Amino acid sequence: MNLVDVSGLSISFGDVRAVEDLSFSLEAGGALGVVGESGSGKSASAYALLGLHRGTGAEVRGSIRVAGVDVDAADDAELRALRGAKAAMVFQDPLSSLDPYYAVGDQIAEVYRVHNRVSRRAARARAVEVLDRVGIPDAVRRSRSRPHEFSGGMRQRALIAMALACEPRLLIADEPTTALDVTVQAQILDLLHDLRRETGMGLLLVTHDVGVAAESVDEVLVMRSGRAVERGPVGEVLVAPREPYTRALLAAVPRIPASGPGGGSGSAGAVVAPREPADGPSGAAGPSGAGRPSGAAGSSGAAGAGAARGRGDYGGALVEDAGDAGDVGDVGDAGEALVEAVDVRQVFGRGRSAQVAVDGVSLTVRRGETLGIVGESGSGKTTLGRMLVGLLEPTSGRIARDARVQMVFQDPVSSLNPRRSVGESVADPLRASGERDEAVIRARVGDLLKRVGLDPGQYDRYPHEFSGGQRQRVGIARALAAEPELIVCDEAVSALDVTTQAQVIGLLERLRRELGLALVFIAHDLAVVRQVSDRVAVMRRGRIVEEGEADRVYSAPRDPYTKQLLAAVPVLDPALAAVRRAARKELAAA
C-alpha cells in the first residue's frame, strides 16, 4: 500500500480554484518533488495531506489517504494523531513556526509528549537527541536557546528535529531552503537525504527551485495553474522533459558553467534536453548570449542563462523580459568610476558588544557595468550596499560618489507603503525633486510603470493587489524615477520563483542597456550573480576574499571559500548532485 494516495484533488478558495483534479501517489520510503511557480497550487496540495484546510473556508474535494488515514473522513482526534506522529510538516519560515518565547528544546519536547505518554525528562532527552541528529552542535546547551538565538539554517534544522521527534513515516517539506544561503541549503538537503536513507521515511518536497528537487528526490511532479503538467523519475524529467512548460521552467533556472568546481566531466547544471528557441518552440533561435554561458553546450543542452528567452507557446510568457539578456555584459570598455569605496569599515555597537560588519573593503563601480557582490548571510554585503548608496556612513574609510544612486530592496512588501497606491510610491522621488504639476507626475509615473512592464492604469492600485514579481517591478520603477546612474539591488530576486526571477533579471539588464545604468547586484545565489555580472566580488566575514572578472572567478576561483560556495550550488543533473553530495561528506569528515 502506498504511503500517500491522492485522487481527483480539487481545492477552491471562494471563486479561486487553486488545485484542479490532481492525482498522485508516493510509496513508503520514496521521495517526490512537487515543483512549480508561485500560485501553481503546490503548497495548497501539500497542506491538504494533513487536513490543514479544515476550518479555513476552503472547499476540498477528492480522495486523500496518508499513512492509511482517510484525511477527508477523519475526525479531529484522528487528524491530531496523523499530524506529527505519522506525517509531519516542515514549513518555509521557521520563525513563524517556532514560538519566540520558549526554548527550542521545550517546544520539541512538547510535541513529543502530545503523541507519547512520557515524562518531561524523557521528552527533553528526546529533544536533545533529535537536535543532535540534525547537526545542532552542543545540543544539550543549545536546546535551552530560544529561536532568535539560532541562525536561519539552525532554525530550519530545529524545525526538522521537531518533525522527526515522533519518527513520522512521511515528512512534508514546504520550501525548506528558500531563504537560506547556498552552503546552508546544501547542508539541509544533505540532511534530508541522509534522514530518508537512515529512517526509511517518505519525503514530499515542495519547491519552486528545480535544482533543489534534483538534489533530493526520486520523482518530480510539475504543477501549473493547479494542474499536474508532467510527472516522472527526476532524471527523465530533468534530462528529457516532454512538456513545453517543463522545458520553459528549466530554461529559467540560472546555471553555473561546466568549468566551475565540482562540474566533473559534465556541465554543472546542464540538462541534456532539446533547446527551446528564443521566440518559442516554433520560432527562430535567438542570440546565443555572447559573454555569458548558456549553461549547456550547443543544441544538446537545455536552455540556461540567456536561453529560451521571450514569449513561447506556453500559454503566456514565462521569461517575458529576458529576451535581450543574452547580451548581458556587452558594455565594451569600462567607463569612468561612479562610486569608489576605499578601505571602508562599518562597526555596529561599542566595546565588547561591537560587531564589525564590513572590514576594510575597497572597490570601484564603473559606468555601464554590473558588479555582483556575493556571500552568505552575515558576510557584510548588504551593509556594504547601504554604504555605497549613502544610507549608512562608514565608521572609517571613505566613499566617493560621482553619480546619482538608488537602491532596490529585497522585500518590496516592507519597502512599499501598504496604505498608499503604487503610483504615489513611484511618484515620491519626483515630488522630492520639486515637481508639483500633478498631470506631469501622473504622466511620468505612467511612463515608468510601462517601462518596467506594468500597466500605467495600475497607478491607483495598492501593493497587496500585485504579485511578488510585480511589486519588485514597482520598486524598480520607483528607483528609476530619480534618474539614477547607479542602482544597488539588494537580494532583489531572492524571494521570487525561478521564472519570475528570470523576468526581473531580464528587465534589469534591458534597463541597464537602454539607460546606460551601472548595477551593483547583491545576492547569496551564485548562479543568479553569474547570470548578470561583469565582475564579481566574493565577501566573507566583512572582507572581500576574491574579486575579478566573472568568467575568471567562476571558471578558476582562487580562494577556498569561493570554491566552497560554488560546490554548494544545486545542479540539475541528479547524478552530478550525488557526486557533489559525496564530495561534501568527504570534506566535512576531513
Side-chain angles (χ1 to χ4, degrees):
M1 184 174 69
N2 288 325
L3 182 59
V4 175
D5 268 309
V6 174
S7 178
L9 176 63
S10 295
I11 304 173
S12 299
F13 300 93
D15 295 331
V16 177
R17 183 67 63 87
V19 179
E20 182 80 36
D21 195 25
L22 178 67
S23 298
F24 65 89
S25 61
L26 174 64
E27 63 183 14
L32 173 66
V34 182
V35 179
E37 300 172 271
S38 298
S40 63
K42 56 189 188 296
S43 290
S45 304
Y47 292 172
L49 298 185
L50 296 181
L52 295 178
H53 294 303
R54 185 171 293 186
T56 66
E59 181 183 355
V60 180
R61 299 190 306 277
S63 172
I64 305 171
R65 295 191 68 87
V66 177
V69 176
D70 185 334
V71 175
D72 186 56
D75 59 26
D76 289 346
E78 289 174 313
L79 278 183
R80 284 196 296 270
L82 171 67
R83 299 167 182 165
K86 296 180 180 179
M89 194 161 193
V90 176
F91 295 93
Q92 177 175 348
D93 181 12
L95 269 182
S96 63
S97 304
L98 295 169
D99 192 315
Y101 292 102
Y102 292 95
V104 168
D106 289 344
Q107 296 183 57
I108 297 173
E110 180 182 4
V111 169
Y112 189 63
R113 294 191 73 202
V114 166
H115 296 282
N116 298 273
R117 294 181 177 274
V118 297
S119 66
R120 291 182 182 275
R121 172 175 287 187
R124 290 195 186 100
R126 176 60 177 165
V128 171
E129 180 184 348
V130 291
L131 283 171
D132 181 68
R133 176 64 197 85
V134 300
I136 298 293
D138 195 4
V140 173
R141 180 178 64 85
R142 297 312 301 266
S143 70
R144 297 189 289 268
S145 300
R146 288 172 172 76
H148 74 272
E149 298 177 275
F150 279 22
S151 67
M154 288 178 65
R155 283 194 292 265
Q156 198 62 282
R157 287 174 183 267
L159 211 56
I160 294 172
M162 184 180 294
L164 294 175
C166 298
E167 300 181 354
R169 296 172 57 192
L170 171 68
L171 181 66
I172 303 169
D174 183 22
E175 301 278 12
T177 63
T178 295
L180 303 179
D181 301 320
V182 287
T183 51
V184 180
Q185 174 178 265
Q187 293 166 11
I188 296 298
L189 295 178
D190 290 349
L191 171 63
L192 290 174
H193 179 270
D194 292 344
L195 289 171
R196 186 168 68 90
R197 186 188 60 190
E198 294 169 10
T199 66
M201 70 178 183
L203 173 66
L204 184 80
L205 177 67
V206 176
T207 180
H208 68 257
D209 191 328
V210 186
V212 167
E215 294 260 349
S216 313
V217 301
D218 306 318
E219 290 190 291
V220 172
L221 170 67
V222 180
M223 291 188 67
R224 186 189 190 193
S225 301
R227 291 182 175 271
V229 174
E230 185 167 355
R231 180 182 177 180
V234 62
E236 291 183 12
V237 173
L238 299 188
V239 170
R242 299 185 306 271
E243 298 297 323
Y245 175 74
T246 307
R247 294 197 293 270
L249 196 64
L250 290 169
V253 179
R255 317 293 172 90
I256 298 292
S259 54
S265 60
S267 175
V271 182
V272 183
R275 185 181 189 133
E276 290 294 344
D279 295 325
S282 60
S288 61
R292 288 291 179 271
S294 68
S299 61
S300 63
R309 310 288 188 175
R311 195 174 293 273
D313 295 336
Y314 316 123
L318 280 181
V319 196
E320 61 191 26
D321 282 305
D324 299 320
D327 296 326
V328 175
D330 185 17
V331 294
D333 296 333
E336 72 272 23
L338 297 180
V339 175
E340 185 176 12
V342 180
D343 197 26
V344 295
R345 298 181 82 245
Q346 184 61 249
V347 182
F348 297 108
R350 296 180 179 179
R352 293 185 177 180
S353 64
Q355 297 289 326
V356 180
V358 176
D359 189 8
V361 166
S362 297
L363 58 77
T364 301
V365 185
R366 300 187 179 279
R367 185 178 302 279
E369 74 168 350
T370 299
L371 171 65
I373 301 179
V374 67
E376 297 174 283
S377 296
S379 63
K381 58 188 186 297
T382 291
T383 300
L384 176 60
R386 289 173 179 264
M387 288 193 289
L388 291 178
V389 299
L391 292 178
L392 285 174
E393 288 298 321
T395 305
S396 62
R398 67 179 179 86
I399 293 181
R401 296 182 200 88
D402 190 22
R404 298 181 299 277
V405 295
Q406 285 290 305
M407 195 164 196
V408 176
F409 296 92
Q410 176 176 355
D411 182 10
V413 174
S414 61
S415 61
L416 293 172
N417 189 330
R419 298 183 179 181
R420 303 180 70 220
S421 73
V422 297
E424 288 302 301
S425 291
V426 174
D428 282 342
L430 301 177
R431 292 196 171 97
S433 66
E435 180 61 62
R436 293 293 179 266
D437 189 323
E438 287 300 314
V440 171
I441 289 174
R442 287 192 75 96
R444 174 65 175 146
V445 170
D447 289 342
L448 289 167
L449 292 175
K450 185 176 181 180
R451 181 175 282 278
V452 300
L454 297 175
D455 183 351
Q458 296 174 320
Y459 185 107
D460 295 312
R461 292 176 62 183
Y462 289 83
H464 72 272
E465 299 179 82
F466 292 82
S467 68
Q470 288 175 323
R471 284 193 291 261
Q472 199 58 283
R473 290 169 185 265
V474 172
I476 294 170
R478 181 176 58 183
L480 292 176
E483 298 184 349
E485 297 164 277
L486 167 66
I487 296 180
V488 176
C489 302
D490 182 22
E491 297 280 12
V493 298
S494 64
L496 306 177
D497 61 51
V498 289
T499 50
T500 308
Q501 188 179 83
Q503 292 167 10
V504 174
I505 288 171
L507 168 64
L508 288 169
E509 168 53 22
R510 176 169 59 80
L511 293 171
R512 182 186 71 83
R513 286 201 326 274
E514 291 177 357
L515 303 177
L517 296 171
L519 297 176
V520 173
F521 197 90
I522 298 170
H524 64 257
D525 190 327
L526 279 83
V528 170
V529 170
R530 178 66 184 90
Q531 191 178 18
V532 302
S533 303
D534 302 301
R535 289 190 299 120
V536 174
V538 181
M539 290 193 69
R540 186 187 191 194
R541 296 175 182 173
R543 293 179 175 271
I544 292 178
V545 298
E546 185 158 4
E547 181 181 1
E549 296 297 319
D551 289 336
R552 200 278 303 161
V553 172
Y554 278 77
S555 63
R558 296 166 184 162
D559 191 86
Y561 178 69
T562 309
K563 297 176 183 178
Q564 178 186 347
L565 288 179
L566 289 169
V569 176
V571 295
L572 297 185
D573 181 345
L576 180 57
V579 171
R580 286 191 165 193
R581 186 184 305 114
R584 289 194 294 265
K585 278 191 174 183
E586 289 181 8
L587 185 62

